Amino acid sequence: MTDAKSTVLILLGPPGAGKGTQARMLEEKFGLVQLSTGDLLRAAVAQGTPAGKAAKAVMEEGGLVSDEIVLAILRDRLGQPDVARGIILDGFPRTAGQAADLDKLLKYTGQNVDAAISLEVDDEAMITRVAGRYTCAKCGEGYHDEFKQPAVAGVCDKCGGTEFKRRADDNAETARARLEAYHAQTAPLIAHYRALGVLQEVDAMGSIDKIAADLGSVVERVSA
Ligand code: ADP
């Protein structure tokens, strides 16, 4: 896994809070590696691995994949050498069991969580955000039906790509189920990390750049 001095950050927040967007910005700014269990699971589904096959239906319904499967794919990813400078966990841990697994894993490697950053947003806005979002199939740039269309219709602003994709679970109904799963199973982790003294709360209803600046200050402070 990562060496003893590397930074470990956790991003907490409901679907649509901007965890992925912000994690990518933190990657660039601080040379950390984003580990998104959602991305890892989608890759497993696309490749048709046994874990992917087991996860597919539950993901489409907006439920949570079993802790066992998620931990196994995360462990695999943590075994790769690029994580040495530090990691941003995006979408993990999502249950009390996963938080306990992470604590054990870090204890074993002599690390600790430098910060668990909770992105504070309001629920209704999340449904609208998630249900309208899509990305460029080539470079991954994010767009939204209502809030951010490409300058030239059908052409990605960033790479000129002309194909776009939408996640199977990005619709209003599934987004509601995911939000419920977040409140029932993940939001209690806020208290867990507060008790450990590493919780940082960031208002995530402003502009992407303002949120990135606020997060950047937190990361500078905790990794100093
Ligand atoms: P979002 O945070 O926008 O809902 P993610 O890409 O993080 O999206 O996750 C998509 C789906 O993948 C989740 O709804 C869930 O089914 C599954 N998933 C991702 N991470 C985990 C995890 N740590 N534990 C269980 N299921 C997970």
Side-chain angles (χ1 to χ4, degrees), residues 38-103:
D39 287 350
L40 293 170
L41 286 166
R42 278 185 288 281
V45 171
Q47 285 160 17
T49 65
K53 284 190 180 128
K56 188 170 190 278
V58 102
M59 290 175 75
E60 279 169 6
E61 283 165 11
L64 293 187
V65 175
S66 75
D67 288 354
E68 203 186 0
I69 291 180
V70 175
L71 193 69
I73 62 158
L74 186 72
R75 261 181 204 282
D76 273 0
R77 182 64 187 86
L78 287 172
Q80 292 166 27
D82 63 322
V83 300
R85 289 192 57 184
I87 54 175
I88 309 159
L89 292 167
D90 160 9
F92 182 93
R94 236 177 172 97
T95 63
Q98 292 177 13
D101 287 336
L102 179 66
D103 290 345

Side-chain angles (χ1 to χ4, degrees), residues 7-11 26 32 87-89 113-117 219 222:
T7 305
V8 177
L9 302 177
I10 296 171
L11 289 184
L26 290 174
L32 304 169
I87 54 175
I88 309 159
L89 292 167
V113 173
D114 294 283
I117 305 171
V219 176
V222 301

Side-chain angles (χ1 to χ4, degrees), residues 8-218:
V8 177
L9 302 177
I10 296 171
L11 289 184
L12 291 170
K19 298 185 295 295
T21 306
Q22 295 298 335
R24 277 188 293 278
M25 298 181 86
L26 290 174
E27 269 195 315
E28 276 182 34
K29 192 161 176 200
F30 295 97
L32 304 169
V33 173
Q34 173 198 17
L35 296 187
S36 157
T37 44
D39 287 350
L40 293 170
L41 286 166
R42 278 185 288 281
V45 171
Q47 285 160 17
T49 65
K53 284 190 180 128
K56 188 170 190 278
V58 102
M59 290 175 75
E60 279 169 6
E61 283 165 11
L64 293 187
V65 175
S66 75
D67 288 354
E68 203 186 0
I69 291 180
V70 175
L71 193 69
I73 62 158
L74 186 72
R75 261 181 204 282
D76 273 0
R77 182 64 187 86
L78 287 172
Q80 292 166 27
D82 63 322
V83 300
R85 289 192 57 184
I87 54 175
I88 309 159
L89 292 167
D90 160 9
F92 182 93
R94 236 177 172 97
T95 63
Q98 292 177 13
D101 287 336
L102 179 66
D103 290 345
K104 265 188 246 154
L105 207 67
L106 295 179
K107 203 167 182 182
Y108 179 71
T109 57
Q111 292 177 278
N112 43 37
V113 173
D114 294 283
I117 305 171
S118 169
L119 300 181
E120 304 288 313
V121 290
D122 59 69
D123 277 13
E124 280 313 307
M126 293 309 103
I127 305 282
T128 318
R129 275 198 205 173
V130 168
R133 71 185 179 183
Y134 60 97
T135 54
C136 168
K138 200 167 150 199
C139 74
E141 180 71 357
Y143 293 97
H144 193 281
D145 294 330
E146 239 177 272
F147 311 127
K148 188 190 162 197
Q149 290 282 16
V152 177
V155 182
C156 174
D157 295 342
K158 206 168 172 190
C159 76
T162 53
E163 282 185 32
F164 296 85
K165 58 182 188 186
R166 243 172 239 273
R167 276 169 44 175
D169 60 349
D170 277 350
N171 57 70
E173 194 190 332
T174 312
R176 261 185 215 287
R178 284 155 58 200
L179 204 53
E180 278 169 25
Y182 174 78
H183 285 294
Q185 301 192 67
T186 310
L189 299 185
I190 292 175
H192 173 76
Y193 290 110
R194 186 179 286 123
L196 291 178
V198 294
L199 182 73
Q200 303 282 341
E201 286 162 299
V202 170
D203 174 5
M205 287 304 293
S207 74
I208 290 178
D209 290 343
K210 165 82 170 74
I211 301 162
D214 291 348
L215 274 172
S217 318
V218 169

